[in-house]
Amino acid sequence: YERHTMRAYLSSLSDFCGFLGATVTRWGDEHYQFNWNLMEMPTRAGCGEYIAACKRKGLSSATITRYMAAARHFVRALEEQPVYTETGNDFVFILEAQRQLRLAASTKNPAADRTSNRPALEQYGTRLSLAQVNRVLESFSPEMGTITGQRDLALLYLGITSGLRAAELARLTLNSIQPGKDCYEVRVRGKRSNHDPVGIDSTAMALIERFVAAWNGRLTSPPSPLSIHGEGEKDPRWIGGDTPVFQPLLRGDHIPAVGLRGYNPQKGMTPRAILQIVERRALGALGSAITAHDMRRSCAYLMRSYGFEWDQIRAQLRHRSIGTTEKYVGQEQDLSKALLSKRVKFMVPEAAATLL
């Protein structure tokens, strides 16, 4: 049910094929019906026209690049499919068709909307300072008697201090947290099925345990011993070892009934729901919203600001190599050191240089 990439690629592919003349009908999340009878064969010229059309619609270069990633998978599959010819003309036609498909797959992505030599950490999103993080955390003080307040505090503290992505936070279970040699270790499936451990401190663990205890304490039928029929009776909403920790709540601090609005305790919260919580909490505490991924950016930013080693930052962010970490985080830059007036004396009239 988490097949985000598959859904994104199918959506992108339907747009690409529709542009080339195919009739596409969508019946569900991953249920598409393609009719290619009137579709033009993908060529480099056709791909270029598609990119230009996307630009005219106002799509960003990053979005178009994502669309083209799906299109390339499709075009390469067309090129590699086995085709059996009956005549020499068939053979010549197939060779030319495959050549055109190779050219289509080699179509370059559009140039980036903007370029910079600074690391990605500084180019995108928001990075919270320590003072801003503490303001967000302190804003929970009036709500510590509610399950909602305890859940959201645990969520934001864990997200900021661990650097876990929203999808990884959504997958978190109690059994995925184990005591390590010097701290607690979290092992959840991450990007590209990465299961490297991430360290979390005792405060994060205490906040999680407090929320889980408050949630389970609200339920009327906790797990009971096996009945004489050999079947245990328990509330399906009970957060056990393999149940996602972060669960949705209704307004008024109420736990939803199973099935209400599609609620399934075994699926927990979606990454989108986590995003909405982070946006709302930051907006209330800081006056401006941040995204769920900004928690990860803030973790990297604070680690860089407080002198952590590159390998320590790499391990916390679960990057494959230090090179990836250095490219993403980069060195902190003090632009004032490059000011010409640091070493050169300019004769500016005193009156003109006086601040108003």
Side-chain angles (χ1 to χ4, degrees):
Y1 75 95
E2 289 183 348
R3 290 155 58 95
H4 308 298
T5 302
M6 174 62 77
R7 293 177 185 177
Y9 273 33
L10 280 171
S11 174
S12 303
L13 184 60
S14 68
D15 188 75
F16 175 75
C17 292
F19 176 81
L20 294 180
T23 302
V24 185
T25 306
R26 182 181 182 184
W27 302 102
D29 282 344
E30 294 186 21
H31 186 190
Y32 288 79
Q33 182 178 353
F34 292 83
N35 184 338
W36 286 289
N37 288 341
L38 299 177
M39 179 177 165
E40 299 176 9
M41 185 178 74
T43 62
R44 176 178 286 181
C47 289
E49 292 171 2
Y50 174 68
I51 291 174
C54 289
K55 279 288 188 181
R56 288 194 295 270
K57 289 194 294 186
L59 298 181
S60 68
S61 294
T63 300
I64 299 173
T65 298
R66 190 199 75 189
Y67 282 18
M68 287 303 299
R72 286 190 184 90
H73 279 295
F74 175 63
V75 170
R76 291 190 182 110
L78 290 179
E79 181 199 349
E80 295 170 1
Q81 65 182 326
V83 181
Y84 304 99
T85 61
E86 295 182 359
T87 67
N89 289 337
D90 290 346
F91 182 75
V92 172
F93 174 79
I94 295 303
L95 284 180
E96 177 59 20
Q98 289 177 331
R99 188 179 77 89
Q100 290 296 331
L101 292 171
R102 282 195 297 273
L103 291 172
S106 66
T107 303
K108 292 184 179 180
N109 289 322
D113 295 326
R114 63 175 186 175
T115 61
S116 172
N117 293 322
R118 297 303 299 149
L121 179 66
E122 297 179 6
Q123 294 185 54
Y124 308 104
T126 302
R127 299 150 304 284
L128 300 183
S129 66
L130 179 59
Q132 290 174 311
V133 171
N134 285 334
R135 281 172 57 189
V136 172
L137 299 179
E138 290 168 358
S139 69
F140 287 95
S141 296
E143 300 182 53
M144 291 313 298
T146 67
I147 302 179
T148 303
Q150 294 177 44
R151 178 201 64 185
D152 293 359
L153 175 59
L155 178 65
L156 269 80
Y157 184 87
L158 180 62
I160 293 172
T161 58
S162 70
L164 290 170
R165 301 175 179 89
E168 296 163 353
L169 292 169
R171 298 182 189 119
L172 184 76
T173 66
L174 293 177
N175 283 345
S176 67
I177 309 173
Q178 298 295 329
K181 180 180 178 181
D182 301 307
C183 64
Y184 290 94
E185 297 180 359
V186 173
R187 290 180 184 269
V188 294
R189 177 169 56 85
K191 207 171 183 179
R192 299 180 181 88
S193 296
N194 186 351
H195 284 77
D196 288 347
V198 171
I200 65 172
D201 59 29
S202 57
T203 301
M205 191 64 203
L207 292 173
I208 292 170
E209 290 177 334
R210 178 172 179 173
F211 160 65
V212 171
W215 173 282
N216 289 342
R218 183 76 66 83
L219 302 177
T220 57
S221 54
S224 61
L226 294 178
S227 67
I228 58 175
H229 301 292
E231 296 179 356
E233 297 179 0
K234 65 177 181 180
D235 192 313
R237 299 169 295 178
W238 185 272
I239 299 179
D242 293 321
T243 308
V245 169
F246 297 112
Q247 298 283 332
L249 284 157
L250 301 176
R251 289 186 179 182
D253 211 39
H254 299 299
I255 298 176
V258 176
L260 180 65
R261 301 175 185 172
Y263 171 53
N264 180 352
Q266 295 307 312
K267 291 186 176 181
M269 297 181 69
T270 64
R272 181 173 180 80
I274 291 176
L275 165 64
Q276 293 171 343
I277 289 174
V278 174
E279 287 179 337
R280 176 170 52 84
R281 290 297 186 174
L283 184 62
L286 304 175
S288 59
I290 64 172
T291 69
H293 205 74
D294 287 335
M295 294 193 295
R296 180 176 173 83
R297 292 188 181 99
S298 298
C299 176
Y301 171 72
L302 290 172
M303 292 186 77
R304 185 185 75 176
S305 300
Y306 285 87
F308 283 80
E309 300 292 335
W310 282 118
D311 194 55
Q312 294 171 331
I313 302 176
R314 180 204 62 78
Q316 196 66 21
L317 298 181
R318 296 205 289 183
H319 286 159
R320 182 172 298 178
S321 67
I322 290 180
T324 301
T325 305
E326 290 178 338
K327 183 178 179 180
Y328 175 72
V329 179
Q331 296 283 358
E332 191 168 12
Q333 190 175 39
D334 184 356
L335 296 179
S336 68
K337 291 182 179 180
L339 293 177
L340 190 57
S341 56
K342 287 277 188 177
R343 303 187 182 186
V344 178
K345 180 66 174 178
F346 293 97
M347 303 304 296
V348 179
E350 184 177 351
T354 303
L355 294 176
L356 297 177

